[in-house]
Amino acid sequence: MIVKKYTGKDETEAVMKAKDDLGSNAVVLNVRTMKQRGLAKVFKKDFVEITAALEEKDFAQNVNNNKPTFSRVSSEAIKKQQSQINLLADDSVNPHAPKQSEIIEKKLDSLHDMLRNQMVREEETDKKEDIKPAVKPENNANFKSLKLIYNKLLENEVSEKNANAIINDIENSMKKESNLDSILASVYQKIILKFGEPEAIEDDERRKIVFFIGPTGVGKTTTIAKLASDFKLTRSKSVAMITADTYRIAAVEQLNTYASILDVPVNVIYSPSEIVESIEELSDYQMIFVDTAGRSHKNTEQRDEIIEMISNVRNSGIDADIIIFLVMSVTTKYRDMVNICDAYKSLNDYRLLFTKLDETDSLGNILNIKLYTGAPISYTTCGQNVPDDIESVDVQKLAKSLLGGE
Ligand SMILES: Nc1nc2c(ncn2[C@@H]2O[C@H](COP(=O)(O)OP(=O)(O)OP(=O)(O)O)[C@@H](O)[C@H]2O)c(=O)[nH]1
Ligand SMILES: [Mg+2]
């Protein structure tokens, strides 16, 4: 992994520098505003420093591809990252800034203590069980730490294949002997890179048609209510809804209830051919959320209706961004999630939205499915409360949780 720092008079300038240097797959790990102190305050302006990271293989590819464009880093994402963990503070830039080692210790201390305690306990268990992580005990001073982290990942339902890949990467790039803190920090960063840049709904002026598709009962309608509320009440957008769910008797009523609380119009459509006309009727609205009936991915006929509806909009030439959220509950088994994603593969560019994080402690499937599909992750929901129980994916929080942290 390549980790580099860039400075600029503002975030945009620093990100542009990273863009020129690292290319499209880089991920911003951290953004800091560096304040001038003492006499320097008079002569020099504050500046922004970002820490960006890139997988080595992507770096090599960038060089070959003559540096493609940087992935979109929304100002929202940047703001969010300002409050996020700073693992790589450069001690030399600002003498008053906390030292790198202090920051790592502070941010990862709970994980560290927990893992160390566990290490002692597992020494006992190891004698009884034969666990087989990717790391090889021979000549590897880091074996215990890596094995612990590997087991933690498996415990959180990261697949064996993905846990092995993470551990192998770390093992290959590590010094002969590293302490638990630095191994943990490397794994943590690796996981963040694997999650990639989340893609929430862009908060810009372009009109948006947003589809919510997925299995029955995962929370599509509830999630629409949460997002519609955010866009209408917090971001002052004009919002409308369309429901293609006339399948369940109470479905239209459910959406109507949310819509009337939010005071937004709802159109009901009965077949895929009606969608374009319905959107045109709502031409005054910036955001149109389209609810669909939960479909078993095994019922290909029903699934094809949804795909047809989306294709109709794509082919209509409507001037709007089309966003598709494939909504899945994290409580669903990995194998079923894979089948669901496969069922909608032909849509190509859906984003992953995971619900019901409050119902499980094991979030490994989010990483597994992200890596299986390559699709961006967007939002997670963590309860039934509208509008509060939703957030743009916080990859730092997810990565910590996969390592057993709070
Ligand atoms: N615990 C929990 N429950 C949720 C969450 N999101 C939605 N629910 C609940 O899940 C149930 C189903 O939610 P809906 O929004 O109706 O799900 P849906 O995907 O629209 O269902 P269908 O339209 O029948 O396919 C409701 O009881 C919701 O309150 C969540 O994040 N956590
Ligand atoms: Mg519904």
Side-chain angles (χ1 to χ4, degrees):
M1 182 169 55
I2 292 155
V3 178
K4 286 186 163 186
K5 289 175 184 300
Y6 301 88
T7 55
K9 66 176 185 322
D10 55 24
E11 293 148 3
T12 316
E13 188 179 289
V15 169
M16 287 303 288
K17 286 184 186 170
K19 161 188 170 174
D20 287 344
D21 197 27
L22 294 180
S24 63
N25 290 328
V27 177
V28 175
L29 291 177
N30 185 57
V31 180
R32 284 208 293 172
T33 301
M34 311 297 290
K35 298 237 176 263
Q36 299 291 354
R37 289 169 189 270
L39 205 57
K41 247 180 170 171
V42 183
F43 302 107
K44 292 184 183 168
K45 290 204 164 109
D46 294 346
F47 62 98
V48 169
E49 178 198 81
I50 67 159
T51 306
L54 187 71
E55 301 266 26
E56 275 93 342
K57 63 173 170 36
D58 292 334
F59 186 71
Q61 206 179 338
N62 283 343
V63 173
N64 293 339
N65 295 352
N66 201 14
K67 296 176 183 172
T69 51
F70 200 55
S71 62
R72 176 171 27 75
V73 180
S74 64
S75 58
E76 194 188 11
I78 290 177
K79 268 187 224 134
K80 201 169 145 205
Q81 279 167 334
Q82 278 178 321
S83 62
Q84 285 164 347
I85 194 162
N86 179 4
L87 274 172
L88 295 146
D90 182 349
D91 305 340
S92 63
V93 179
N94 178 353
H96 301 281
K99 297 246 180 293
Q100 180 181 10
S101 55
E102 284 170 22
I103 289 166
I104 290 174
E105 259 173 51
K106 193 165 160 228
K107 302 292 180 186
L108 295 174
D109 56 355
S110 63
L111 282 175
H112 173 269
D113 290 349
M114 184 196 66
L115 288 172
R116 183 160 286 162
N117 291 339
Q118 208 167 330
M119 209 182 237
V120 176
R121 282 202 307 275
E122 289 200 359
E123 268 175 19
E124 302 296 313
T125 328
D126 278 2
K127 289 170 194 156
K128 296 174 212 152
E129 293 172 27
D130 184 21
I131 307 159
K132 51 165 188 44
V135 280
K136 296 167 191 63
E138 311 89 50
N139 311 323
N140 193 334
N142 303 315
F143 174 71
K144 272 187 196 159
S145 307
L146 284 170
K147 194 186 69 174
L148 245 159
I149 292 170
Y150 175 85
N151 286 341
K152 210 43 152 181
L153 292 172
L154 290 194
E155 219 174 87
N156 284 302
E157 292 182 12
V158 174
S159 70
E160 219 168 292
K161 181 177 153 219
N162 291 331
N164 271 332
I166 292 168
I167 296 295
N168 276 333
D169 281 357
I170 299 299
E171 202 183 6
N172 295 337
S173 61
M174 244 173 8
K175 291 189 205 117
K176 239 183 165 185
E177 281 196 46
S178 306
N179 62 26
L180 182 59
D181 278 346
S182 63
I183 297 176
L184 205 47
S186 304
V187 176
Y188 174 77
Q189 286 167 22
K190 188 99 226 157
I191 295 173
I192 288 174
L193 280 172
K194 287 200 182 287
F195 274 124
E197 189 74 35
E199 290 191 14
I201 300 173
E202 292 76 12
D203 191 3
D204 55 30
E205 292 312 309
R206 289 266 305 153
R207 190 164 183 238
K208 310 227 176 320
I209 321 282
V210 192
F211 290 91
F212 294 76
I213 63 172
T216 54
V218 289
K220 297 178 293 299
T221 308
T222 315
T223 303
I224 287 180
K226 291 170 182 174
L227 287 172
S229 162
D230 179 37
F231 276 89
K232 166 135 193 192
L233 304 179
T234 316
R235 302 174 202 233
S236 308
K237 301 275 185 200
S238 56
V239 172
M241 296 176 184
I242 294 175
T243 179
D245 185 359
T246 49
Y247 192 70
R248 259 190 323 115
I249 293 170
V252 177
E253 202 181 316
Q254 185 193 6
L255 195 69
N256 270 333
T257 307
Y258 289 127
S260 71
I261 295 167
L262 289 170
D263 192 22
V264 305
V266 183
N267 275 1
V268 182
I269 61 165
Y270 296 89
S271 83
S273 59
E274 293 172 31
I275 182 85
V276 175
E277 201 183 326
S278 181
I279 291 172
E280 276 164 359
E281 249 175 52
L282 297 166
S283 59
D284 289 343
Y285 293 86
Q286 285 170 291
M287 316 268 318
I288 299 178
F289 292 97
V290 186
D291 195 11
T292 64
R295 297 301 201 196
S296 160
H297 58 280
K298 291 184 175 175
N299 187 327
T300 50
E301 199 181 312
Q302 293 180 341
R303 178 208 61 190
D304 288 347
E305 265 189 17
I306 287 177
I307 295 177
E308 186 189 338
M309 177 176 68
I310 295 172
S311 303
N312 287 345
V313 179
R314 279 181 170 156
N315 298 335
S316 69
I318 287 175
D319 184 23
D321 293 338
I322 295 167
I323 299 174
I324 305 160
F325 289 118
L326 178 55
V327 184
M328 284 179 289
S329 162
V330 275
T331 58
T332 305
K333 288 206 299 280
Y334 175 64
R335 187 52 31 214
D336 292 331
M337 281 196 191
V338 163
N339 290 335
I340 293 161
C341 294
D342 283 349
Y344 291 104
K345 210 153 112 189
S346 66
L347 287 172
N348 288 328
D349 58 353
Y350 56 74
R351 305 180 190 184
L352 300 165
L353 193 157
F354 293 97
T355 59
K356 310 199 181 183
L357 270 71
D358 52 312
E359 292 191 358
T360 176
D361 290 328
S362 309
L363 302 181
N365 274 338
I366 300 182
L367 184 65
N368 296 334
I369 289 296
K370 154 75 211 174
L371 293 176
Y372 177 75
T373 58
I377 41 179
S378 57
Y379 297 94
T380 50
T381 76
C382 58
Q384 295 177 288
N385 292 323
V386 177
D388 293 333
D389 293 340
I390 188 163
E391 62 179 19
S392 299
V393 169
D394 181 339
V395 285
Q396 278 79 4
K397 203 159 97 182
L398 276 182
K400 270 196 214 168
S401 137
L402 295 187
L403 290 167
E406 289 301 307

